Structures are given as C-alpha cells and as structure tokens.
Amino acid sequence: MNVIVANERKDSLSNLDIEVIKNIVGEFDSDELVAMFKDFFFDRMILDVTAIKNYRDITNIQKLAVELGEDKLILVLPDEVCSSSNYLSNIISMGIYNFTNNINAIKQLIERPNTYKNVAKIQQLNNMSVEISNRVNKGNKIIGIRNLTDHAGATTLTYILKKELTTIYGNVVYAIEVNKRDFLYFNDRNMFSVSEADLAKKLADLDKPIAVIIDLNDCKIDSMCDEILYLLEPSSIMLNKLIKREKGVFDRLKDKKILLNKSLLSNKEVSELEYEANAKMFYNIPPLDERKKNSVIQELLFRLGLVDNTASRKEEGNKIFGLFGRH
C-alpha cells in the first residue's frame, strides 16, 4: 500500500489509480514527515515536494531519504525543479531515482521503478554544466530568451543581440537556438541550431566565449543561463491569449526579466500594464530593423551588464574596448 503527501498537486494526486493507505495534504517540515512515517509501514510514498517546507534546500529531501529509505520515495517535482540539472543530480546522488513532474508517470514508476541507468544522463548533463562554468571566464554571460506570447520575436532578438555584441567583442560571441532550424537563414557561422539533448555539449565546445545568447524555444533545461529574458508582445490579443492559457503567469514571473518586444506602447501605457499585471517590465523594445544599428539595443545590453556605457565598436588591430559590467 502507498501513502500520498500532497500540496500544490493535491487535486491531480487525489485521482491516482493506485492503492493508498494514507493521504495527507499541507506543508510540513521534513522532521515532521519523518516522525509521522518512520514507523509506519508503506510500500511507496508519492511525495509532492511542494509539501516540504523549503523544498529547494536539498538537505530537506536528504533527511527523508536517509530516514524513510530512498527507494521508497517517488518525488513529484514542480516544472522549475525539473529544469534544474543541479537539483536533479543531487537527488540522484542520494539514491533517489524515481521522480517526475508528470502525474500520469507515477503508476509506471510504482510498477517499474527506475534504476541508476535510467537517470544517469541527467547527472552527466549536470557534470557538463559544471565543466561549462569552469571553462567560461569570469564576467562572461549566457543569456536565455523565451517567448511568453506566441511569435514574440525571440529568434530575431537573439540575432540582433548577437550581431551587436559581435561589433564590440568580435568572433567570440555566439548564438544558439534549441529544437529549431531557423538560424540557417541568417548565414552566420557563429549561430548554431541544436537539439535540447546536445545543448550542454555545444556550450562546452564553444571556443573562448565572451557571450552566448540562447533562443530556448521549448527547451526545459535553462539552469546554465545567467539570465533569462521573457518576451511579451503586448497587443491585446496576445495578452488575452497568454492570460487565458496561464491565469497566474505574472505571479510566476514576479522578479523575472520581462521584455516587451515589438511594442508600440508609450511609457504611460507600460506603467498601466505594470499596474494591471502587478509585475515590473524590465525593458520596452519597439519594432526594430535588424539590418541597422539600434541604440535601444545598446541600452538593453548595458542594463544586462553585457557592456559598459563606454563600450564601442571593435576598432582596427582587433582592440576591444567593450567591457563587461561588474556585479
């Protein structure tokens, strides 16, 4: 028989087609759960990790693994945790191999539990990310870009940022798109199209990168990015589609960098949008001609810490005057 400990996923977990001897809902300290279940006989604990107070602190998961048995735990993870290879790698190091963000996969994990072989690639990905961090010089940045609304312009903005940075730093600036092939049409040797599975390897293989701009598309793995920019086209139809698709989207993105792109909004209208959404907009980008140098992009790069306010074009003799902002 199984036990369920639920919080944010309580509605979905209540409909699981499995045998359940005990079901509790709420937020608990890991010590509370240990006290509650250490002497309680059960086969598997289906644990919605949001039911653990401060679940992002991996030591709270470790307490449960040590006291209850790592092989008894099936972790139900939020999407943002599933996108962190470092978090998942730590879980695997504890001997917890059964975890998912998909409720429908839980029954399969009960019937056919994972072994290390099933999850080894995740740990290898994290090791690759560590290698990337070690290889990139201090001050260098990896910027990820995601569309919030459909066709918000992530691909073109990635190209524009890469092009502008190249005029400052030369051929040590790269752009990568994940799970698409649109970069083919830019005809730029430092722009690459890769699958999600090959992203970490491509980053590790780049030759002395100063900056890397990644068009993430539907890629779930973004833990290697120093910053993620969320693009929002603020037309009424796109905003309404976004809110209908995800009602609490602006709560989820609080304290994230939201960029209005292809925007015709005035400063006053941006302020009104911020008030209605209860979220701060990081930058307002009008429709741009990617063939021209745009001062609005230079200001954005400065605000991102990719250049300082004296950054200038690469001059003859390959002397580079653009500097990274120090944080």
Side-chain angles (χ1 to χ4, degrees):
M1 299 286 278
N2 307 291
V3 300
I4 294 176
V5 180
N7 186 31
E8 291 180 5
R9 307 294 291 276
K10 63 180 184 295
D11 293 335
S12 301
L13 288 172
S14 67
N15 295 318
L16 271 180
D17 181 23
I18 61 172
E19 292 184 332
V20 177
I21 192 173
K22 190 176 181 67
N23 189 339
I24 63 172
V25 175
E27 270 192 287
F28 308 91
D29 290 324
S30 52
D31 290 334
E32 287 181 85
L33 292 174
V34 168
M36 201 179 304
F37 289 103
K38 188 172 184 180
D39 297 319
F40 187 88
F41 178 79
F42 62 91
D43 293 317
R44 295 285 189 276
M45 174 183 285
I46 294 86
L47 175 60
D48 172 1
V49 298
T50 66
I52 304 171
K53 292 179 181 176
N54 195 18
Y55 66 85
R56 290 180 177 83
D57 182 350
I58 203 73
T59 59
N60 289 317
I61 306 292
Q62 188 174 29
K63 288 178 185 177
L64 296 175
V66 170
E67 297 294 338
L68 301 181
E70 63 277 359
D71 58 326
K72 288 193 170 187
L73 300 178
I74 298 177
L75 304 184
V76 182
L77 304 174
D79 288 340
E80 72 270 14
V81 168
C82 272
S83 70
S84 169
S85 59
N86 185 54
Y87 193 96
L88 297 182
S89 181
N90 284 328
I91 288 173
I92 293 166
S93 297
M94 297 173 195
I96 301 175
Y97 306 146
N98 294 292
F99 48 84
T100 182
N101 62 345
N102 182 0
I103 297 295
N104 296 324
I106 293 173
K107 189 173 182 181
Q108 180 179 336
L109 290 175
I110 292 173
E111 294 172 353
R112 294 190 299 276
N114 283 335
T115 65
Y116 178 71
K117 183 178 179 180
N118 300 119
V119 296
K121 285 186 178 179
I122 297 173
Q123 205 157 37
Q124 291 164 7
L125 174 63
N126 182 65
N127 292 338
M128 184 73 77
S129 297
V130 171
E131 180 185 346
I132 293 164
S133 298
N134 290 336
R135 289 181 59 175
V136 175
N137 295 328
K138 183 179 180 182
N140 297 345
K141 281 196 175 182
I142 300 175
I143 305 293
I145 302 181
R146 286 192 185 280
N147 284 337
L148 274 179
T149 51
D150 296 335
H151 312 296
T155 301
T156 300
L157 182 61
T158 300
Y159 169 69
I160 292 173
L161 294 178
K162 187 266 176 192
K163 182 180 177 183
E164 184 63 32
L165 286 167
T166 299
T167 67
I168 299 169
Y169 298 111
N171 291 323
V172 285
V173 178
Y174 302 88
I176 299 173
E177 67 173 346
V178 187
N179 296 336
K180 282 193 176 181
R181 304 284 296 174
D182 292 336
F183 278 9
L184 172 69
Y185 303 105
F186 288 114
N187 195 27
D188 187 318
R189 66 177 184 174
N190 279 356
M191 298 180 70
F192 305 98
S193 303
V194 301
S195 68
E196 185 170 335
D198 292 333
L199 175 58
K201 184 177 186 305
K202 172 54 69 177
L203 284 167
D205 288 343
L206 295 177
D207 185 20
K208 300 177 181 178
I210 287 287
V212 185
I213 314 297
I214 304 178
D215 181 4
L216 290 162
N217 292 305
D218 59 354
C219 177
K220 298 294 190 297
I221 303 167
D222 56 21
S223 57
M224 72 284 293
C225 297
D226 300 300
E227 301 272 12
I228 299 178
L229 310 180
Y230 296 87
L231 293 195
L232 174 65
E233 183 189 333
S235 63
S236 296
I237 187 170
M238 289 302 181
L239 283 169
N240 289 335
K241 279 185 176 181
L242 175 64
I243 292 170
K244 186 173 182 179
R245 186 167 65 234
E246 185 182 351
K247 188 175 181 181
V249 61
F250 290 110
D251 291 331
R252 175 172 65 83
L253 295 172
K254 203 172 277 290
D255 301 322
K256 305 291 186 182
K257 288 182 169 59
I258 304 174
L259 275 65
L260 304 181
N261 197 36
K262 300 189 287 188
S263 168
L264 297 172
L265 299 187
S266 65
N267 290 339
K268 181 175 181 294
E269 289 168 328
V270 171
S271 297
E272 290 171 352
L273 175 60
E274 289 178 330
Y275 177 78
E276 292 174 4
N278 192 28
K280 186 71 176 172
M281 303 297 133
F282 181 74
Y283 206 67
N284 187 28
I285 305 174
L288 298 175
D289 182 350
E290 71 270 17
R291 298 172 183 83
K292 297 180 180 178
K293 186 175 177 69
N294 296 282
S295 59
V296 67
I297 291 299
Q298 296 171 44
E299 175 64 23
L300 173 60
L301 293 173
F302 170 62
R303 291 189 61 180
L304 289 171
L306 286 165
V307 297
D308 72 1
N309 57 357
T310 64
S312 59
R313 287 182 178 272
K314 191 178 72 166
E315 298 187 344
E316 290 183 10
N318 293 324
K319 185 173 181 181
I320 299 174
F321 293 93
L323 301 174
F324 278 97
R326 291 177 171 81
H327 301 281

